[in-house]
Amino acid sequence: MRDKTPIWKAIANALRDDLVQGRYVQGDKIPTEASLADRFGVNRHTVRHALSHLIEEGLLRSRRGSGVFVTAQPTEYPIGTRVRFHENLLAAGRIPDKKVLSVEVRQPSEGEKAALKGTERVCAYHGLSRADGQPIALFESVFPLDRLPGLDLAFQEVSSVTEALKRVGVTDFTRASTHLTAIMATATHALHLHISEGSPVLRTTNLNVDPEGTPIEYGRTYFASERVTLTV
Amino acid sequence: MRDKTPIWKAIANALRDDLVQGRYVQGDKIPTEASLADRFGVNRHTVRHALSHLIEEGLLRSRRGSGVFVTAQPTEYPIGTRVRFHENLLAAGRIPDKKVLSVEVRQPSEGEKAALKGTERVCAYHGLSRADGQPIALFESVFPLDRLPGLDLAFQEVSSVTEALKRVGVTDFTRASTHLTAIMATATHALHLHISEGSPVLRTTNLNVDPEGTPIEYGRTYFASERVTLTV
DNA sequence: GGTAATTTGTCCGTATGTATT
DNA sequence: CAATACATACGGACAAATTAC
């Protein structure tokens, strides 16, 4: 069971956990690069590599001569290569909530099959994301069941995508692409998002891949644009 | 006239120019890190720093053991911290075109004043962006004239924002923030973008800052969402 | 106000690992 | 198997900005 994850990535994850769990809050100055290097027993450059990724993700911000600080914008929803719904909203100071609408196993559509690079059965996961009880986004994700056997069962126990994937052996994944466009709300959108039919909705289409680049999730999310501002 | 831009940044700019000008096209393998380091007369890590930024921007992609390759998605419009309208569309294989609707000097609104961190006069620049003659986006940018004297005159000679800014001493700038939301098209949007009133429009609000972090442009862009897909 | 200490930013050099060719 | 090429990690040095005294 050799550890294949790079040291810098492990450090980035550890620090991200600290942020998510509120050990540092917005505006806080995190320890200096030197002291972090000391704490983790690595070179300062390795810490810098980790920090630069967290800065990329918008979680931190550095000021030369001063230090590295926590940046968390309220009610904003950051999009990046590494997106975790739960963590983003926590960072925004809101209480996240997810309602599972349905989990089903079915054949993929043509588009889904193409996006996932071929699979005969997919696990389709529909749900509603809320912040402080207010509906924010409607999402539907499909996962290639051929490559992720048992995922449908995992969803019966946990509602977190990250957690369910972990149970079938996917410990890490990144967003390969995100597409954005605006559409008019259908009746379904209107119903769940509590908006009126025809009002604008932000649709994001995204493909998540594992570290080897194999597609593991093809998802579409519909944001109630009157309640959300996406931050790039 | 000392050069304050870091070497890695200069290298990144040089390579980006190569990409924009088609010296390397999609799928091409760019020279190895070692040979680039040799060509620019720097250490390999300095080249890596530059490459990592271009990879962040989505222009390049690296494959261990193989090389670094050009990735350019057609007809997609990438959003990032460094966005240049002209270059993006060129990279997408389309012919960009810009129509200036108006350039005027006026007092800033409250919101504009706040975004630009205070200024008594702004240069407002309205225009229409087209690709292959088709209207893509309507934009309006305001610049703090107090900090950028002569910018209004520069716009009478060149239509490129980057070029006009260069003439008043701003040689580099980055996108500090981008906000995204969807709205319904007004009559003005419908007129210029050739869409029907009420159809969804993607609105991006962005703030550009110079290397010192001083706001130099506050802009809003309205994309005809039926013709554009934004890529994050 | 000025100087020294602190802290991040840049750049170089070296070594080794890992995937591809 | 060997050579090539990117990935990771270490180390040192100095610059630039901020902070502390």
Side-chain angles (χ1 to χ4, degrees), chain A residues 12-13 19 30 56 88 121 142 149 153 157 162 175-176 189 218:
Chain A
N13 288 335
L19 295 175
I30 69 169
E56 242 351 289
N88 283 339
R121 279 160 67 247
V142 290
L153 303 174
E157 297 175 24
T162 308
R175 182 158 292 198
H189 297 141
Y218 175 63

Side-chain angles (χ1 to χ4, degrees), chain B residues 50-91:
Chain B
L51 291 179
S52 77
H53 266 248
L54 296 175
I55 289 169
E56 255 331 303
E57 292 177 24
L59 297 174
L60 298 176
R61 184 179 155 222
S62 67
R63 282 185 238 188
R64 174 187 298 205
S66 180
V68 179
F69 301 83
V70 178
T71 67
Q73 302 100 333
T75 89
E76 290 178 346
Y77 198 93
I79 310 181
T81 55
R82 186 170 297 269
V83 179
R84 301 288 183 275
F85 176 77
H86 209 73
E87 301 172 11
N88 283 339
L89 286 180
L90 275 176

Side-chain angles (χ1 to χ4, degrees), chain A residues 105-109 113 118-122 144-147:
Chain A
V105 175
R106 58 169 169 78
Q107 288 189 322
S109 70
K113 201 168 172 178
T119 184
E120 292 311 314
R121 279 160 67 247
V122 294
L145 215 48
D146 297 0
R147 290 197 288 275

Side-chain angles (χ1 to χ4, degrees), chain A residues 61-159:
Chain A
R61 184 180 154 221
S62 67
R63 283 185 236 179
R64 172 188 284 193
S66 181
V68 180
F69 301 84
V70 179
T71 69
Q73 298 100 334
T75 90
E76 290 180 345
Y77 199 93
I79 311 180
T81 56
R82 186 169 297 271
V83 179
R84 301 289 183 275
F85 176 78
H86 208 72
E87 300 172 14
N88 283 339
L89 286 181
L90 274 176
R94 308 188 68 175
I95 299 168
D97 175 23
K98 197 188 270 182
K99 185 184 178 186
V100 178
L101 296 176
S102 76
V103 176
E104 56 174 10
V105 175
R106 58 169 169 78
Q107 288 189 322
S109 70
E110 284 303 315
E112 291 166 350
K113 201 168 172 178
L116 292 172
K117 300 239 170 87
T119 184
E120 292 311 314
R121 279 160 67 247
V122 294
C123 175
Y125 180 68
H126 287 242
L128 184 67
S129 296
R130 288 180 294 208
D132 293 338
Q134 194 178 45
I136 292 292
L138 196 65
F139 62 87
E140 45 185 357
S141 284
V142 290
F143 304 85
L145 215 48
D146 297 0
R147 290 197 288 275
L148 304 170
L151 185 68
D152 50 332
L153 303 174
F155 274 128
Q156 293 177 358
E157 297 175 24
V158 293
S159 67

